Amino acid sequence: MITKILLFALVIVLVAAVVWVRIAPSTPEYWHRDPVGLADPRRPNFARVDRIVALSPQATRSAIDDAAQADGAQVLAGGDDFTTWMVRTLIMGFPDYISVRLIPVGGGTRIVALSRSRFGYGDLGVNRARLNRWLPN
């Protein structure tokens, strides 16, 4: 009898965790942070990119918007030169947040981006792969 009760309690806890992942609020005040001055997260579930590309800020923004849309990302906050998106993982629906700052430099654009997972300790390279897909070289 005790085993059934413990098993039932474990199922309830797991269901509650899955539901929380889906309904936890994604507040722009917390997640929309400029990656230029933002320290790296303490957990290794993030990726950071700082590169210069030979595209205008508008062309860079357009390329990133297209890639974000293809991944099903939603704009959480921001606009032209500084935007934060939220995208959910395919299977469990964990929210990840991607903040990108575009800075005009010479004839190109400096891209400073930070992609981070909200839940979990590691990310199995998901954030690095996302930035590689989203950001032009």
Side-chain angles (χ1 to χ4, degrees), residues 105-128:
V105 289
T109 303
R110 178 179 173 207
I111 303 170
V112 182
L114 179 65
S115 180
R116 60 236 187 254
S117 301
R118 178 172 182 172
F119 298 105
Y121 183 75
D123 69 350
L124 303 174
V126 170
N127 288 297
R128 172 73 49 205

Side-chain angles (χ1 to χ4, degrees), residues 42-77:
R42 293 182 182 170
R43 297 174 291 167
N45 60 351
F46 73 96
R48 179 182 292 279
V49 167
D50 189 341
R51 73 170 66 133
I52 297 176
V53 297
L55 297 170
S56 70
Q58 296 79 13
T60 303
R61 170 63 194 243
S62 179
I64 294 170
D65 282 343
D66 291 346
Q69 186 176 17
D71 269 5
Q74 300 172 339
V75 173
L76 185 64

Side-chain angles (χ1 to χ4, degrees), residues 24-34 38 74-79 82-86 97-99 116 118:
S26 293
T27 55
E29 297 81 20
Y30 185 81
W31 294 105
H32 185 57
R33 303 282 176 91
D34 191 342
L38 189 61
Q74 300 172 339
V75 173
L76 185 64
F82 172 38
T83 306
T84 298
W85 289 267
M86 191 269 296
Y97 302 91
I98 306 88
S99 296
R116 60 236 187 254
R118 178 172 182 172

